[in-house]
Amino acid sequence: MINKLKKKPFSLVLSGGGALGIAHLGVLHDLEQHTLLPAELVGTSMGGIIAACMAIDMSEAKIYEEIKAFSSVSKWIKFSFSGNAIVDNSKIENIFKTLFANKKMKDTHIPLKLIATNLKSGEKRVFTADDDIYIKDAILASMAIPGIFTEHHYEGEIYGDGFLCENLGINEATYETLLAVDVLGKNSFEETLPDNFFKTSNVIEMFEKSMRLLIYNQSQTHIQNSNKNIILLTPETKEHNTFHFHKHKELRALGLGLLE
């Protein structure tokens, strides 16, 4: 696998998945160990946040330090009492302002593509260097899970999380060879159904499993219809929830060693 990546330029595609996306860091760590640098980065939601950090030359260790901040939800959660979402994005936006300052999509050292969904039309929107948009705004659009995070307004349009159209952005990869890391892939859900004492726990777990199955099948359709050389990594994320940011150490470890 490593030899394949050394022979030709490749795109690195990072999926969305909330806290599960911390597993991407393990893969980034291993890429650094083998001095492998992608020619392009494609990310959705949490994968987009990590891809954007890598695109401006942040090391994996530095990205991990920033991700640790998310383990304390009080640093980025501000509840909203109006509008369409539970979380007001103002605290998160301030974090991204600190990370990316006034950098735009055209200012990255590695070409970057971030996937969002137009909530008016339902169409996929891919932000690239051709767009005169700040990185922080493209990320806020890509990660805005409807009902959870406030939708993001840009140039008269309204955007939400990219998982609604393409959680694993292989269709946006430029290069024939691509390394795709899917934290909501085949190893993200149990084969058995929930069997808790309390029905409410079963209902919540069934809803999350249903979402994972929906996203998994979406990604499988894209993979099966692609003619690219896809190296697919699927970390074992089934034991974790998408909001388990406090388990960053365990989640990061899930991505380690997958390149071997």
Side-chain angles (χ1 to χ4, degrees), residues 111-247:
L112 174 66
K113 295 177 181 177
L114 297 176
I115 298 173
T117 304
N118 187 312
L119 293 179
K120 289 183 180 180
S121 66
E123 295 177 350
K124 178 170 64 176
R125 177 68 156 90
V126 184
F127 294 104
T128 71
D130 293 332
D131 295 294
D132 187 31
I133 184 174
Y134 293 108
I135 294 174
K136 68 175 182 63
D137 286 312
I139 291 175
L140 287 167
S142 180
M143 59 158 280
I145 302 172
I148 304 297
F149 296 107
T150 306
E151 59 275 9
H152 198 66
H153 294 251
Y154 174 69
E155 291 189 340
E157 299 293 343
I158 306 172
Y159 293 100
D161 201 299
F163 88 83
L164 294 169
C165 51
E166 190 170 3
N167 194 59
L168 185 67
I170 61 172
N171 289 322
E172 301 310 320
T174 301
Y175 295 91
E176 287 302 310
T177 298
L178 63 97
L179 176 63
V181 188
D182 190 3
V183 300
L184 286 175
K186 66 178 181 179
N187 294 321
S188 70
F189 51 85
E190 300 280 1
E191 293 185 0
T192 57
L193 298 183
D195 188 21
N196 300 297
F197 180 79
F198 293 105
K199 183 176 181 178
T200 50
S201 297
N202 290 331
V203 171
I204 293 170
E205 287 185 23
M206 279 297 293
F207 178 75
E208 175 143 357
K209 177 169 184 174
S210 298
M211 291 301 296
R212 294 191 189 199
L213 288 172
L214 179 68
I215 294 170
Y216 166 72
N217 281 295
Q218 174 208 82
S219 297
Q220 282 298 298
T221 298
H222 293 315
I223 290 169
Q224 290 164 8
N225 290 321
S226 175
N227 57 6
K228 293 185 180 295
N229 176 25
I230 302 172
I231 300 171
L232 180 64
L233 304 181
T234 55
E236 291 272 355
T237 58
K238 65 181 69 172
E239 298 294 330
H240 299 276
N241 290 327
T242 53
F243 52 84
H244 277 172
F245 288 95
H246 64 290
K247 295 189 176 181

Side-chain angles (χ1 to χ4, degrees), residues 30-61:
D30 290 351
L31 287 171
E32 287 184 4
Q33 293 298 301
H34 292 283
T35 62
L36 285 167
L37 194 66
E40 172 188 65
L41 288 155
V42 182
T44 302
S45 199
M46 187 63 178
I49 295 172
I50 293 173
C53 290
M54 188 179 187
I56 62 169
D57 278 352
M58 286 179 64
S59 68
E60 186 273 334

Side-chain angles (χ1 to χ4, degrees), residues 19 22 68 70-73 241 243-251:
I22 298 173
K68 284 181 183 178
F70 280 78
S71 63
S72 176
V73 294
N241 290 327
F243 52 84
H244 277 172
F245 288 95
H246 64 290
K247 295 189 176 181
H248 52 81
K249 185 176 180 180
E250 297 96 318
L251 287 164

